[in-house]
Amino acid sequence: MITFISSLYATAQVWPQGVPVTGDSLIRLLLNIPGIQTALAWTLLHKLPDAMEAQGSQEADNLPGLILGSLRWLDEVVDTRRITSTLLDIMPKCSKWVQQGILELLPELVLEEDCQVVVASLVQMTEQSSTMLVPVLEAISNITAQDVGQAQVTDLVLQRFPSAELADLPALLRFLLQHVNSQNASQVVELLRSSMPPLGDQVVRMSGQMVDVEEGAVEALRTGLQCSHLAADTVFSQVKALTEPGVHMGLDLWLLLLLASLAGKRCEAVHKLLKKKFAEGLANNTWLDRAVCGHQGALRSLLPSLLELAGRLVQAGQAGCQGAGSHLYTLLFAAPHPNKAPQYQQGHLGSGQAGEISTALAVLLGLTRGHACQLLQHAHFVGTLLDCLDNFSQAQLHQVFAVVSELVVVSKGASSEVETNRQRLGKQLEALLHKQMQSDEVYAQRVGIIGTIKLAERLATPSSSDLGGKEAEQLLGRSFEVRHHQPGMFALLCDELTQAVAAGRLSEPLREWLRLCAVDQLEGFLDDFVENPPDVQCEGGGHLKGANWMNLNGSAGQVMLPLLRIVSSSDRLHRQSLACLPAVTRLALTLEFQTSGSLDGLSAILGCPLHMPHLDQLQREALLTAPPDQQWVVCTSLLLAINWLRELLNAWARHVQPHQCVGGAEVQQNLLVRLQNLCQLEALLAHSFALLPNPPSLQDVLGCHTSAVIVKKGRVQKKMKGKSGKVSKAGQSPDEGSEAAEDQENMADNASPRGKPATEADTTVQALSRTATNAPGNLGGAEEHIACTAGLVDQLQ
């Protein structure tokens, strides 16, 4: 026996130069002799079943492989049909691994005319043993006549597919897609969609090594689609026909991405189809969840395609596509394997497209809320956002600082690398905010304010430590100090805080602390009520007589708004502090409503009198002969009074139903009167500017923040966009209510032109005199206001 086995091994010769040369074995040399080839082959093949009984030594274990190896790649096969028949006869008697060797040998020997018989025999063999299905399929695929018996084999695979072993799945998928025809293409694709077993992260032994079944299945699908255009077209058409979000399967997305990986026109067609599905609501994020979550093997093969899809969806522009792209980025980042999802956002952030940038920032913000520690591993990338803030809009700045604040305040206990990155990012943010808050540029100030408020929001959230709320209060407290030297910046701060409060982004303890601060700031503008306020001295040295206007509280009132006293102050910063009065008022009223559910706590300011220039100062001769500084004081007082009333009316109209609050009837009456007061003040301001040949500039007191409605030479012009808006409709959102005042075109059209007869102008002032100082205590007083204003409008037209 040992001698026979030795004859199957290759012979070795040594040439004179001492170089060993390997030659054919003795048996192979004999097989190449035509006269004895068939008989010798028959004898060798019939030894295969006997060789199984002779195993026990290394040589005997190798005997089947040596015999089959000797029959491969012969120079000439004399009787192919007899050798093939012999192989088919002995195959059932051999072990599984010997059968696999025979199946590998058969495609080299089968003649074209014998293909049908061989295929039929192999199919019958699979019916007897399901474990040989995959080797048989591979053998049939390698037989020359591909079409012979293929329909029968395909039907067999379709029957066996639902119950196939996981280890056989990649080969079955590859075979089905490679051998589809026009009759069964739809059936094959539908079977894959409906009968694909759940794969998960299962690993099996294939070809002597451990292989992830899911990864192998995806690669098999890729190969099948590459080899069959019919299969690729059928997959595309069937998935395209799906119009309900719930019917899309995870496999559908895998197949489309594999088609896209084929490049060319098919890639563009796939991405166009996916964009359409998400844009029109034919698919949703659940489809992405099915395709990504729990499929690590598929992700290893499809990750580049998934990242490309996410990027294209974000760039699409439609809300549905951008939402899907954002969700897909989040899923990919959460997957437990290395990926470059955060770095992919860098391309979107630098695209220059507002929607794409906002979506990319939304992706990062979503990642911070569930994967902050993982995102901190990319802290350098996040830090670059703080270096290019000039490229972001105001809304995008909110997103940027929300991302950074979340990472800076993330809970402790992470790895040392993550903690180091967190501390480094925190120092970078602290240095940036300090620099921006000290800047004299309005944009830089706004950046510092937004960043400060976002950080305070995150510090004060319930998920933070108990010290977080105190840190937030200290942070905002330091920000409030800008009022003393930069009133305009303080107004920006109050506006941003108002929006944060209205949106419910501040915690209840911080909101209560902020309410006390805002009320304290508002009280700083108010004086104790004085029945006959003294005259004031203007900056130029002259005296200006004052009076209390529009007192709806009567003698019971305790406070007044001393506009004339502050406007005429010689302290420039004191005058400019009025620039933040509308913003402080809006913040205090918003906090009062958010905290108590009503404005009853601040109801006194709705009817409090305004300390204004005496109406005698508005007579034609008095106004025209007054020094420029007094003209400025008169006009500025009117403008500030207009803005004050607008804020009050906006607040009560937006937050309160008069019949639902304390003293509902009285509140409703006061609101009506204040609305008429507003019309009167606007008419007075228009009248004053129409009279003056050179109207004064009001920018000194308003700075760059507050909006001023200025009538110049019979026209109304908007000066310096800001936050003191026109009276908004009830129920208007806080953001809309805080916009800059709209152009007062109707007032401009109705304003009296310069050169109006003195008697008519004097009549206008006298009409206003009867109502501006009146303090109605009943509805009759309100009706008098309304009638007087209507008459005034008639005179001005």
Side-chain angles (χ1 to χ4, degrees):
M1 189 65 177
I2 298 300
T3 303
F4 171 65
I5 293 177
S6 300
S7 65
L8 292 171
Y9 282 99
T11 59
Q13 302 175 358
V14 179
W15 286 19
Q17 292 84 356
V19 179
V21 177
T22 301
D24 289 332
S25 66
L26 176 61
I27 294 295
R28 187 170 179 81
L29 292 174
L30 295 175
L31 285 172
N32 281 318
I33 300 175
I36 63 174
Q37 182 190 79
T38 302
L40 179 58
W42 188 92
T43 303
L44 291 173
L45 292 176
H46 278 82
K47 286 184 174 292
L48 289 176
D50 299 334
M52 303 306 301
E53 301 176 359
Q55 289 181 350
S57 63
Q58 182 177 358
E59 292 81 0
D61 292 342
N62 292 337
L63 181 60
L66 293 172
I67 292 175
L68 294 175
S70 299
L71 293 171
R72 304 194 71 173
W73 303 305
L74 294 174
D75 296 339
E76 179 185 2
V77 180
V78 178
D79 193 348
T80 301
R81 183 168 296 166
R82 183 177 180 186
I83 295 177
T84 301
S85 176
T86 303
L87 287 171
L88 294 175
D89 290 339
I90 67 171
M91 191 184 303
K93 305 174 185 177
C94 298
S95 63
K96 179 180 178 179
W97 73 274
V98 175
Q99 290 177 346
Q100 292 177 352
I102 294 175
L103 290 172
E104 293 174 359
L105 177 61
L106 276 175
E108 302 177 16
L109 301 175
V110 177
L111 298 175
E112 185 173 351
E113 56 268 23
D114 296 334
C115 285
Q116 188 169 359
V117 176
V118 173
V119 169
S121 178
L122 294 179
V123 170
Q124 183 179 5
M125 179 177 150
T126 60
E127 294 175 352
Q128 298 173 355
S129 175
S130 60
T131 59
M132 295 302 297
L133 179 60
V134 172
V136 167
L137 292 178
E138 293 178 352
I140 293 175
S141 298
N142 292 326
I143 290 177
T144 304
Q146 292 288 330
D147 296 334
V148 177
Q150 291 299 324
Q152 180 183 1
V153 178
T154 302
D155 291 340
L156 176 64
V157 175
L158 290 174
Q159 295 174 6
R160 300 282 183 87
F161 184 81
S163 58
E165 297 290 336
L166 289 180
D168 298 340
L169 196 60
L172 298 182
L173 291 171
R174 187 182 305 108
F175 180 87
L176 285 174
L177 292 178
Q178 286 178 341
H179 297 90
V180 296
N181 53 48
S182 57
Q183 287 75 31
N184 63 14
S186 298
Q187 181 186 1
V188 169
V189 175
E190 185 59 35
L191 175 71
L192 297 185
R193 295 187 64 253
S194 61
S195 302
M196 176 72 80
L199 302 179
D201 294 329
Q202 303 186 57
V203 179
V204 297
R205 181 176 294 278
M206 298 173 59
S207 301
Q209 57 183 353
M210 302 306 294
V211 177
D212 186 289
V213 177
E214 191 169 74
E215 185 176 5
V218 171
E219 292 303 321
L221 290 171
R222 189 193 305 274
T223 302
L225 293 174
Q226 286 175 336
C227 295
S228 174
H229 292 291
L230 177 60
D233 293 338
T234 305
V235 166
F236 184 83
S237 61
Q238 287 204 10
V239 179
K240 181 180 180 179
L242 302 176
T243 57
E244 295 295 331
V247 300
H248 290 83
M249 306 179 65
L251 179 63
D252 296 331
L253 186 60
W254 295 1
L255 291 170
L256 289 180
L257 293 176
L258 290 173
L259 290 179
S261 68
L262 302 180
K265 295 182 179 180
R266 198 179 297 278
C267 175
E268 295 302 321
V270 167
H271 286 117
K272 182 178 179 180
L273 173 62
L274 289 170
K275 290 178 184 178
K276 179 179 179 181
K277 283 183 174 290
F278 285 110
E280 298 180 1
L282 305 180
N284 53 28
N285 292 343
T286 305
W287 187 23
L288 300 176
D289 294 336
R290 293 171 183 161
V292 175
C293 297
H295 298 290
Q296 303 311 314
L299 285 183
R300 280 189 286 271
S301 294
L302 298 174
L303 182 59
S305 298
L306 286 167
L307 287 171
E308 181 183 3
L309 172 61
R312 286 177 178 251
L313 290 174
V314 168
Q315 294 171 351
Q318 298 94 338
C321 291
Q322 291 185 333
S326 174
H327 185 69
L328 182 55
Y329 269 130
T330 303
L331 292 177
L332 295 178
F333 183 79
H337 62 81
N339 64 77
K340 299 181 179 180
Q343 283 81 351
Y344 266 71
Q345 307 309 307
Q346 193 164 1
H348 299 306
L349 293 172
S351 66
Q353 301 297 320
E356 186 176 344
I357 294 173
S358 298
T359 302
L361 291 173
V363 171
L364 293 176
L365 185 56
L367 294 178
T368 62
R369 291 167 181 162
H371 312 281
C373 291
Q374 295 93 315
L375 191 57
L376 275 171
Q377 296 175 359
H378 307 272
H380 177 72
F381 160 71
V382 177
T384 58
L385 297 178
L386 299 178
D387 297 330
C388 53
L389 296 176
D390 292 343
N391 299 328
F392 298 120
S393 66
Q394 182 172 339
Q396 292 163 355
L397 286 175
H398 281 269
Q399 293 178 295
V400 170
F401 283 111
V403 169
V404 179
S405 298
E406 186 71 30
L407 296 179
V408 168
V409 191
V410 68
S411 300
K412 311 295 191 299
S415 65
S416 58
E417 178 186 0
V418 170
E419 179 62 20
T420 300
N421 291 341
R422 186 190 70 83
Q423 293 178 2
R424 185 185 301 114
L425 189 61
K427 292 179 180 179
Q428 184 180 356
L429 176 61
E430 181 181 358
L432 172 71
L433 294 181
H434 178 75
K435 177 182 178 181
Q436 302 292 351
M437 293 292 284
Q438 299 298 320
S439 176
D440 293 330
E441 298 180 1
V442 176
Y443 181 80
Q445 294 172 0
R446 185 177 293 276
V447 169
I449 288 170
I450 293 175
T452 298
I453 294 176
K454 280 299 177 184
L455 182 57
E457 287 177 16
R458 182 58 183 87
L459 285 170
T461 54
S463 59
S464 300
S465 62
D466 296 337
L467 296 177
K470 296 297 182 182
E471 292 177 4
E473 293 175 6
Q474 294 173 3
L475 183 64
L476 292 179
R478 290 193 299 269
S479 302
F480 274 29
E481 296 175 0
V482 301
R483 176 191 173 184
H484 303 295
H485 54 88
Q486 290 181 304
M489 184 176 179
F490 183 66
L492 291 174
L493 175 64
C494 291
D495 272 347
E496 290 294 335
L497 285 172
T498 300
Q499 294 180 21
V501 172
R505 299 198 301 263
L506 300 185
S507 64
E508 184 176 352
L510 183 60
R511 197 166 58 237
E512 175 60 27
W513 175 87
L514 190 59
R515 183 185 70 85
L516 297 177
C517 293
V519 171
D520 182 65
Q521 296 292 333
L522 180 59
E523 290 176 348
F525 288 101
L526 302 176
D527 281 352
D528 292 336
F529 175 70
V530 178
E531 185 71 30
N532 297 307
D535 297 345
V536 298
Q537 183 176 357
C538 295
E539 191 174 9
H543 287 76
L544 195 62
K545 185 179 180 181
N548 288 333
W549 287 26
M550 303 172 179
N551 181 11
L552 305 187
N553 293 337
S555 59
Q558 298 181 353
V559 295
M560 59 185 291
L561 182 62
L563 292 177
L564 180 60
R565 177 180 63 81
I566 301 177
V567 170
S568 61
S569 173
S570 60
D571 186 345
R572 186 170 182 270
L573 282 177
H574 192 199
R575 293 196 308 268
Q576 289 188 343
S577 68
L578 288 171
C580 56
L581 174 60
V584 171
T585 304
R586 186 162 51 253
L587 175 60
L589 290 171
T590 303
L591 283 164
E592 179 68 22
F593 180 78
Q594 292 288 336
T595 303
S596 63
S598 71
L599 298 179
D600 295 340
L602 294 176
S603 59
I605 66 174
L606 179 60
C608 76
L610 309 178
H611 181 203
M612 300 286 290
H614 196 279
L615 282 171
D616 292 342
Q617 304 295 327
L618 292 171
Q619 299 291 341
R620 177 185 177 87
E621 295 301 326
L623 188 60
L624 289 175
T625 58
D629 61 324
Q630 292 188 13
Q631 293 177 353
W632 181 86
V633 169
V634 170
C635 294
T636 301
S637 299
L638 289 172
L639 175 64
L640 293 171
I642 289 172
N643 286 335
W644 165 262
L645 292 187
R646 284 176 179 168
E647 293 301 336
L648 298 182
L649 288 168
N650 277 331
W652 261 269
R654 182 183 302 120
H655 297 309
V656 176
Q657 297 294 330
H659 63 278
Q660 296 178 354
C661 61
V662 178
E666 181 181 357
V667 171
Q668 186 171 10
Q669 174 182 311
N670 287 347
L671 287 175
L672 289 173
V673 174
R674 282 306 189 206
L675 187 58
Q676 301 310 314
N677 293 158
L678 178 60
C679 295
Q680 295 161 2
L681 289 169
E682 289 178 343
L684 277 174
L685 184 60
H687 163 73
S688 300
F689 272 82
L691 287 178
L692 296 174
N694 296 305
S697 171
L698 307 183
Q699 296 186 13
D700 182 57
V701 69
L702 300 176
C704 58
H705 174 70
T706 306
S707 175
V709 177
I710 298 179
V711 183
K712 187 172 184 179
K713 296 185 179 180
R715 297 298 297 172
V716 179
Q717 301 174 349
K718 183 186 295 184
K719 288 289 203 176
M720 304 161 296
K721 290 183 178 181
K723 294 296 183 177
S724 299
K726 185 179 179 181
V727 177
S728 62
K729 297 179 180 180
Q732 186 178 5
S733 67
D735 290 344
E736 295 171 340
S738 64
E739 291 296 328
E742 299 178 357
D743 291 336
Q744 308 293 315
E745 295 182 356
N746 293 333
M747 185 194 303
D749 294 335
N750 295 331
S752 58
R754 191 164 62 92
K756 188 176 181 180
T759 55
E760 189 173 353
D762 292 340
T763 303
T764 300
V765 176
Q766 291 170 6
L768 288 171
S769 301
R770 293 196 302 270
T771 58
T773 57
N774 188 25
N778 50 48
L779 188 58
E783 291 174 347
E784 183 180 353
H785 276 254
I786 296 171
C788 177
T789 303
L792 169 65
V793 173
D794 290 339
Q795 294 181 43
L796 292 177
Q797 286 179 340

